[in-house]
Amino acid sequence: PLLDPPADTPTAGAHRLLPDLGAATQDEETSDSDAYRLTRLGRRLSHLPVDPTVARILLEAKQQGCLDEVLVVASGLSIQDPRERPTDLAKEADEMHKRFVHPESDFLTLLNIWDEFHDKLDELSQSKLRKFCKAHYLSYQRMREWRDIHHQIERILREREKHQNKLKPFNARTDVGYAAIHKS
């Protein structure tokens, strides 16, 4: 019970979403049809400071062996799209963005943007990196935000890993394949 309960619409949405994610089950011990109990998975999801759907994606990625790649995608989904498309320069922006596009997957397109940015991050000064972003119609500010969120989530996952000793160690990127990323 809450002192100031949220509106019915978000609560009803949560009551639908959490069981779908496997995070809650309806409490059969009470006669209240709105009583739910967190599952073990629900408790694990609650420790990640992201949307429950994004947290569920991350936990599944760990099981699929593609956590590094999906962590990039999940943190990218947590921000506004870093691609810029000014109306007066839409054609030029589309041309520059083509280099990142994966023909079958928007998720892999996000990975391509991340990889390209991080390749340049290692070799360019900050001012040249800003120019790279401007030339490729990427928001430098959103790319930094994406990177910060990625590091925060990664740090939380590593801290939880130390206490649980159940997560696989974070390895360098591996080619785990299209299916595992999309299943997550």
Side-chain angles (χ1 to χ4, degrees):
L2 301 170
L3 294 175
D4 293 322
D8 289 340
T9 305
T11 304
H15 285 174
R16 284 189 307 273
L17 176 65
L18 293 177
D20 288 348
L21 295 175
T25 58
Q26 199 157 13
D27 193 353
E28 296 170 4
E29 295 177 15
T30 68
S31 60
D32 185 2
S33 64
D34 288 339
Y36 288 85
R37 211 174 253 195
L38 277 181
T39 62
R40 196 171 122 206
L41 175 63
R43 282 190 280 292
R44 289 175 56 208
L45 293 175
S46 71
H47 293 290
L48 297 174
V50 294
D51 182 275
T53 54
V54 173
R56 182 67 181 100
I57 291 167
L58 291 169
L59 293 180
E60 183 61 31
K62 180 193 153 295
Q63 296 298 323
Q64 295 294 320
C66 58
L67 184 60
D68 289 341
E69 291 80 1
V70 172
L71 179 56
V72 170
V73 173
S75 56
L77 294 173
S78 299
I79 64 162
Q80 186 177 344
D81 191 334
R83 293 170 284 191
E84 294 179 331
R85 194 172 185 268
T87 41
D88 55 330
L89 300 169
K91 198 175 224 178
E92 291 87 348
D94 290 342
E95 274 302 309
M96 291 307 280
H97 292 159
K98 277 184 184 178
R99 73 183 296 156
F100 305 120
V101 172
H102 187 281
E104 299 173 18
S105 172
D106 290 339
F107 296 149
L108 297 181
T109 296
L110 284 174
L111 274 174
N112 291 340
I113 293 170
W114 176 270
D115 288 341
E116 182 80 20
F117 179 78
H118 281 81
D119 287 347
K120 299 300 180 191
L121 183 68
D122 294 338
E123 62 188 53
L124 298 177
S125 66
Q126 188 172 1
S127 64
K128 288 183 180 179
L129 189 60
R130 283 180 186 270
K131 288 177 186 174
F132 167 82
C133 286
K134 187 173 183 169
H136 291 84
Y137 296 91
L138 298 173
S139 168
Y140 177 75
Q141 193 65 31
R142 288 187 212 136
M143 294 301 295
R144 283 191 49 200
E145 181 183 358
W146 186 0
R147 197 163 176 259
D148 291 344
I149 289 171
H150 178 274
H151 289 314
Q152 290 169 13
I153 296 171
E154 183 179 41
R155 186 179 68 243
I156 290 166
L157 290 171
R158 282 186 183 176
E159 287 170 5
R160 293 202 45 77
E161 183 178 312
K162 287 178 188 174
H163 297 297
Q164 294 176 354
N165 287 332
K166 292 180 184 174
L167 295 176
K168 296 175 188 173
F170 284 72
N171 296 323
R173 276 188 181 277
T174 58
D175 189 16
V176 297
Y178 181 90
I181 291 171
H182 288 84
K183 184 173 183 182
S184 299

